[in-house]
Amino acid sequence: MKIETLRWVDNKLEMIDQRILPASFEYIAYDSAASVAEGIRSMVVRGAPAIGVAAAYGVALEALRLQDASLIDFHSGMETGFVVLERSRPTAVNLFWALQRMRAVWIVARGKSSAAVAQRLLEEAHEILAEDIRINKAMGAFGAELLPDGARVLTHCNAGALATAGWGTALGVFRSAVEVGKKIFVIADETRPFLQGARLTAWEMVQEKIPVTLITDNMAGFMMSRGEVDAVVVGTDRVASNGDVANKIGTYMVAVLARRHNIPFYVACPLSTIDMSIASGADIPIEERSVDEVKGFRDYHWAAEGVKIRNPSFDVTPAELVSGLITEKGVVLQPDNAKLRALFE
Ligand code: MRU
């Protein structure tokens, strides 16, 4: 089954509503930057590369919406659109990467009519989507070489087709390994509190008929101590220039456990997720989400009323715990600043 997380239909962006998966499979249509920003904020779409693609379409939609306005209104409306999108979520750098790329296209196209600018921006959004799938497949091919036939691979959160324009980063590695004939057994962490592992990764792997076992997050150490995990592959929301990796809360625990048990810990990471402007993971903004996500799930709350709750949504795994970054340019073993710089030369 081909999962189209985002698709362009009748001059609108449609995105799978990931909040209600796997119980329901529905698309929601978007027609402006503000509505796309709300879709990102409320987690209809999530996952770093998918957020970037959605933001690119948000810019194009805003231009299409404003193309008949006066030039002044077109320009000020576009600036507002960029700001609204920038404020939707803070951690995944792909959002800012995509907005910068769209802004650069807008600047070059500025002399043209608003309708021509809008078409050019739409073309760029389509290209960002197509490119994301190509990049995931390239990463998948490099990553697949790292996994032995029969590997039992643990993953955290969802870094699959649903987190990208298609194929996936970490789950893309599993898909590519299976495509070249390897047997892969996925162990999916449930990923409290938003349950991306239980709801999304498990669903994707079941659709794909890749064997998958679901565990709660606190079972990973037990599985490793029993010799039941051969490798860990996760995605990332932002990698600092020294190789520190921000990913879904709980990833750091998995990395520490993997090191304790001599299990390789790989991070599938397109170059658009590497932020060379920051020195280390300490500079990565960590989103704090609503405490309601920790209190319970949806309308059911089990936490004691009145208790203080924290909900940091990401954590940072220091570069020293990362065995390798799987990028579209190849695998960077033991990443550091010099090796990451070389990727962009
Ligand atoms: O809060 P989310 O669901 O957007 O967090 C997603 C993750 O942490 C993913 O692991 C990451 O974006 C990589 S997706 C290819």
Side-chain angles (χ1 to χ4, degrees):
M1 178 197 181
K2 189 170 156 246
I3 298 168
E4 278 187 296
T5 304
L6 313 100
R7 63 184 189 192
W8 186 251
V9 180
D10 293 338
N11 278 326
K12 290 196 175 72
L13 173 66
E14 290 190 349
M15 303 198 285
I16 298 173
D17 187 351
Q18 300 193 31
R19 299 167 306 180
I20 57 173
L21 271 174
S24 308
F25 185 93
E26 280 170 27
Y27 279 94
I28 300 181
Y30 294 86
D31 61 3
S32 66
S35 64
V36 171
E38 179 53 22
I40 296 172
R41 197 201 56 75
S42 65
M43 309 277 275
V44 167
V45 69
R46 30 67 50 202
I51 291 172
V53 176
Y57 276 107
V59 171
L61 282 166
E62 199 58 15
L64 288 167
R65 198 175 73 82
L66 295 170
Q67 64 186 356
D68 296 326
S70 70
L71 209 54
I72 289 180
D73 288 349
F74 181 77
H75 278 230
S76 72
M78 288 298 290
E79 285 298 352
T80 308
F82 274 103
V83 170
V84 169
L85 286 161
E86 264 159 26
R87 291 188 181 155
S88 57
R89 285 190 81 190
T91 304
V93 76
N94 305 61
L95 172 74
F96 308 98
W97 170 89
L99 290 175
Q100 242 173 40
R101 182 159 155 178
M102 295 301 279
R103 183 177 281 282
V105 167
W106 180 34
I107 289 168
V108 170
R110 253 178 185 168
K112 299 183 180 161
S113 70
S114 300
V117 171
Q119 281 313 314
R120 179 65 198 92
L121 289 169
L122 181 59
E123 265 169 38
E124 192 67 13
H126 289 328
E127 176 50 27
I128 289 175
L129 181 144
E131 195 180 283
D132 185 56
I133 299 173
R134 288 198 298 271
I135 286 171
N136 288 339
K137 293 205 167 165
M139 283 191 296
F142 287 120
E145 287 174 23
L146 298 169
L147 300 180
D149 188 21
R152 297 156 303 173
V153 194
L154 185 137
T155 191
H156 191 76
C157 194
N158 171 268
L162 289 166
T164 62
W167 202 249
T169 61
L171 301 194
V173 169
F174 308 157
R175 286 190 166 95
S176 296
V178 169
E179 206 175 58
V180 297
K182 289 182 179 173
K183 200 104 183 94
I184 296 293
F185 299 91
V186 177
I187 300 162
D189 274 353
E190 167 185 57
T191 318
R192 279 275 294 145
F194 207 71
L195 308 180
Q196 289 94 330
R199 297 189 301 108
L200 309 178
T201 294
W203 179 78
E204 273 195 41
M205 294 293 91
V206 169
Q207 302 303 305
E208 199 80 25
K209 298 193 169 51
I210 296 178
V212 58
T213 303
L214 176 65
I215 60 170
T216 61
D217 301 336
N218 51 0
M219 294 173 189
F222 172 81
M223 303 284 287
M224 290 184 187
S225 72
R226 291 291 169 109
E228 293 183 33
V229 179
D230 301 306
V232 175
V233 183
V234 296
T236 169
D237 294 85
R238 195 185 296 225
V239 173
S241 64
N242 68 342
D244 290 351
V245 169
N247 191 44
K248 180 53 54 193
I249 192 79
T251 303
Y252 172 49
M253 278 189 331
V254 174
V256 170
L257 284 165
R259 177 57 55 90
R260 170 72 178 81
H261 295 284
N262 270 321
I263 296 166
F265 177 88
Y266 297 114
V267 179
C269 165
L271 297 197
S272 55
T273 308
I274 302 177
D275 184 353
M276 292 305 284
S277 75
I278 56 172
S280 78
D283 302 325
I284 299 176
I286 300 293
E287 179 180 16
E288 288 261 353
R289 293 187 60 82
S290 161
V291 296
D292 288 345
E293 291 178 357
V294 177
K295 256 188 202 165
F297 192 65
R298 299 201 174 123
D299 293 335
Y300 187 74
H301 291 170
W302 51 72
E305 264 320 309
V307 67
K308 184 178 175 221
I309 297 177
R310 286 283 312 276
N311 188 15
S313 196
F314 299 91
D315 59 26
V316 176
T317 298
E320 60 172 297
L321 297 179
V322 177
S323 312
L325 286 183
I326 304 164
T327 79
E328 65 268 38
K329 287 201 176 170
V331 179
V332 180
L333 296 173
Q334 275 112 34
D336 61 20
N337 186 283
K339 291 177 190 169
L340 294 194
R341 254 186 295 123
L343 286 173
F344 294 94
E345 274 155 17

